[in-house]
Amino acid sequence: MSDIKTMGQQFGRRSWAEPWKIKMVEPIHMITRAEREKAAADAGYNTFLLRSEDVYIDLLTDSGTSAMSDRQWSGMMMGDEAYAGSRNFYNLENAIQTYYGYKHIIPTHQGRGAEHLISQALIKKGDYIPGNMYFTTTRLHQELAGGTFVDVIIDQAHDPIDPHLFKGNVDIDKVKALVKKVGAENIPYVSLAGTVNMAGGQPVSMQNARELRAYCDSQGIAVYLDATRMYENAFFIQEREEGYAEKSIAEILLEFCSYTDGAWMSAKKDNLVNIGGWLAVNDPKVAEQARTMVVVYEGLHTYGGMAGRDMEALAIGIAEGVQDDHVASRVRQVRYLGKLLLDWDIPIMQPVGGHAIFVDAKRFYPHIPQDQFPSQTLAAQLYLDSGVRSMERGVVSAGRNPETGEHRYPALELTRITIPRRVYTQAHMDVVAESLKAVYDQRDSTKGLKMVYEPEYLRFFQARFELLD
Ligand SMILES: *Cc1c(COP(=O)(O)O)cnc(C)c1O
């Protein structure tokens, strides 16, 4: 038998390959070094402020950057653009119920729309929300609803080279300690994410989800899931957790979701669409509250800010994205890039996660202090070298402590090189690895950055910098 799982185990060398072929291409090209220097300076050395035309290989994010399939594009022609009760909504509802197993579905324009609804529905002022590491928009919505986020991820997640296979796990003792301190009545839910983006795309084990559910049940605390990259999380469970090797990603996903009360989703990631999101819950009262709010902030509860055609592409993307061969090739492409970098001793977060390579900027630039933004510096240098766009996930993303106004100094100071799904080839990965090597070879003479403009919220999107000299 030679399927994608067993290939390579039987022979010295049998490679995997993408389960698709290319039908349409989009030309890209690299502008000159002088043009890149000007573009970088104009963008305040913030890769979010570059024009995409000035970018050669765009690894800023895997959000909304996937290539849709011919089937999804055909679905776009089947849009039912009725204001209410569009056929495409029912297809979407059916896909989410089938693959994720939740009862009530509320569409939103993207993930943060769903985060807004669930945070406002469940959090009251003074509440605490434990979670397995913060995510930028998730935490901000929890704070805007009057809550305080408390990180309860296992300690190993904060160590960029700890080889733990499930670095996304919740440390249930930390949840217990929080319950003891603030009382279960002030904890509306645990905010569980699979995989954990800010920890490097690290997975949560099935056992951890099961144990968390059992403990939360004993305390009357709900568990809500950030399902944004749960397909990739399910792949790691299949690969690493005892008893799951023979189960499909779809089966693993359903079991995992069954330990939670609902989920919010950025469909721009796993679900293979360029825009879209959803909230899914089992509790009819929470669904009713969310539907009341969705009409204020997003759109009617049968479109939530999406066009009918977008909901159709999403319904198809949900079913395509969960296929074993798709997820396996997606994660293996990320791993291929990771292996090239490790072979050259470039410090990256390990084990390599599901959607991105996270370069450890603290070890890459040990001479640049955190208040001179090492990961922002690395993202700028990579762009200057080759036009490859990455992003900062360190002190800039962490923002300021709202009480003290000081920078939050996260243990992890990372530059994220994120791989869009079904977009780039292995040759693109080679170019990226070689460029990082060139930047690494010049590390000793590289200086940090100075922040010259800082917006109040989610500053990493729009902050501006100057080169220090
Ligand atoms: C992208 C993302 C979100 C927010 O979703 P948007 O679609 O960007 O609004 C929430 N959680 C995680 C883990 C994400 O990666």
Side-chain angles (χ1 to χ4, degrees):
M1 192 180 70
S2 70
D3 65 20
I4 192 99
K5 273 189 227 161
T6 53
M7 268 180 144
Q9 290 165 11
Q10 305 157 291
F11 305 98
R13 184 189 155 118
R14 284 297 291 269
S15 297
W16 59 274
E18 292 82 359
W20 38 261
K21 57 183 178 174
I22 296 165
K23 185 177 291 193
M24 187 187 283
V25 298
E26 176 183 339
I28 53 176
H29 90 120
M30 196 197 292
I31 58 174
T32 64
R33 171 90 199 186
E35 287 167 335
R36 294 198 296 278
E37 281 172 5
K38 177 165 189 317
D42 287 350
Y45 299 94
N46 183 346
T47 50
F48 278 101
L49 300 178
L50 288 166
R51 289 170 182 245
S52 86
E53 288 205 315
D54 295 333
V55 173
Y56 173 43
I57 298 174
D58 200 347
L59 306 181
L60 182 75
T61 173
D62 62 335
S63 182
T65 52
S66 302
M68 292 208 299
S69 67
D70 51 358
R71 282 134 236 236
Q72 285 177 289
W73 279 107
S74 320
M76 296 289 279
M77 297 303 291
M78 302 293 284
D80 170 6
E81 306 304 342
Y83 188 87
S86 159
R87 171 179 66 230
N88 312 121
F89 167 74
Y90 297 102
N91 292 345
L92 172 60
E93 183 181 51
N94 184 43
I96 299 167
Q97 288 167 339
T98 303
Y99 289 103
Y100 292 84
Y102 301 114
K103 294 197 181 100
H104 308 287
I105 314 302
I106 295 112
T108 59
H109 76 287
Q110 58 183 79
R112 68 198 71 184
E115 290 174 340
H116 176 216
L117 301 181
I118 196 71
S119 304
Q120 293 292 334
L122 297 179
I123 299 169
K124 61 180 187 330
K125 201 170 162 25
D127 278 348
Y128 292 84
I129 301 93
N132 52 345
M133 200 173 271
Y134 86 100
F135 183 73
T136 52
T137 56
T138 315
R139 182 178 64 191
L140 180 58
H141 278 296
Q142 292 164 352
E143 289 174 350
L144 291 171
T148 302
F149 176 83
V150 180
D151 188 4
V152 293
I153 202 165
I154 58 173
D155 288 339
Q156 289 92 325
H158 296 283
D159 176 348
I161 54 169
D162 190 293
H164 196 293
L165 291 179
F166 289 100
K167 272 169 117 170
N169 278 356
V170 170
D171 183 338
I172 296 176
D173 286 335
K174 290 186 186 171
V175 184
K176 289 182 183 166
L178 183 69
V179 168
K180 215 166 153 204
K181 193 167 146 215
V182 306
E185 67 283 6
N186 295 313
I187 304 177
Y189 64 99
V190 173
S191 178
L192 180 68
T195 59
V196 183
N197 191 346
M198 305 296 279
Q202 304 293 333
V204 178
S205 72
M206 191 71 88
Q207 191 190 340
N208 189 243
R210 208 180 289 126
E211 285 172 9
L212 178 69
R213 174 84 246 177
Y215 172 69
C216 286
D217 277 348
S218 76
Q219 301 295 317
I221 299 171
V223 179
Y224 280 87
L225 178 66
D226 183 333
T228 298
R229 295 186 186 80
M230 263 311 298
Y231 293 173
E232 290 159 18
N233 199 104
F235 171 82
F236 288 116
I237 290 175
Q238 186 186 58
E239 186 183 62
R240 297 175 182 173
E241 195 163 350
E242 216 188 306
Y244 290 94
E246 299 306 320
K247 295 218 154 100
S248 68
I249 287 181
E251 288 169 313
I252 295 168
L253 178 72
L254 259 188
E255 182 186 338
F256 197 101
C257 293
S258 76
Y259 301 128
T260 68
D261 297 284
W264 62 88
M265 181 73 190
S266 171
K268 303 170 71 173
K269 322 288 182 24
D270 267 357
N271 289 167
L272 296 170
V273 287
N274 303 121
I275 193 73
W278 46 264
L279 177 68
V281 299
N282 290 332
D283 183 335
K285 282 208 212 89
V286 177
E288 197 186 316
Q289 266 175 288
R291 282 199 191 101
T292 307
M293 283 186 54
V294 77
V295 298
V296 181
Y297 292 100
E298 304 279 321
L300 198 72
H301 62 282
T302 55
Y303 75 85
M306 281 181 283
R309 55 180 173 271
D310 291 332
M311 290 191 283
E312 191 62 27
L314 171 50
I316 297 167
I318 286 172
E320 276 183 9
V322 80
Q323 299 306 316
D324 285 38
D325 53 359
H326 161 73
V327 189
S329 82
R330 190 272 185 294
V331 176
R332 284 176 177 149
Q333 186 181 39
V334 176
R335 238 176 237 174
Y336 172 83
L337 175 59
K339 180 164 184 318
L340 290 178
L341 300 175
L342 285 172
D343 287 348
W344 288 326
D345 290 325
I346 295 175
I348 64 171
M349 213 170 156
Q350 295 177 64
V352 169
H355 66 296
I357 298 297
F358 290 73
V359 185
D360 183 351
K362 276 188 183 169
R363 279 190 293 144
F364 197 101
Y365 290 134
H367 59 288
I368 301 182
Q370 225 172 346
D371 61 5
Q372 292 176 12
F373 314 110
S375 15
Q376 190 82 37
T377 303
L378 175 50
Q381 292 298 332
L382 181 63
Y383 174 75
L384 288 170
D385 183 74
S386 61
V388 170
R389 172 151 71 170
S390 59
M391 76 147 93
E392 198 265 7
R393 277 296 182 227
V395 63
V396 184
S397 293
R400 290 180 188 271
N401 181 322
E403 314 260 270
T404 65
E406 296 295 311
H407 289 309
R408 294 193 252 226
Y409 290 105
L412 296 176
E413 179 72 31
L414 307 167
T415 302
R416 192 179 85 179
I417 299 172
T418 326
I419 316 301
R421 295 165 185 79
R422 309 194 290 204
V423 172
Y424 292 112
T425 66
Q426 213 147 296
H428 291 114
M429 297 302 114
D430 290 335
V431 167
V432 173
E434 289 160 19
S435 176
L436 257 170
K437 172 87 169 84
V439 172
Y440 193 51
D441 289 344
Q442 289 164 21
R443 62 192 179 279
D444 293 337
S445 58
T446 303
K447 301 216 170 73
L449 295 165
K450 179 171 84 177
M451 201 187 312
V452 294
Y453 167 71
E454 178 176 359
E456 189 178 348
Y457 293 120
L458 302 176
R459 63 181 182 176
F460 58 95
F461 283 131
Q462 295 175 78
R464 301 182 69 85
F465 302 84
E466 279 170 9
L467 295 173
L468 283 175
D469 53 16

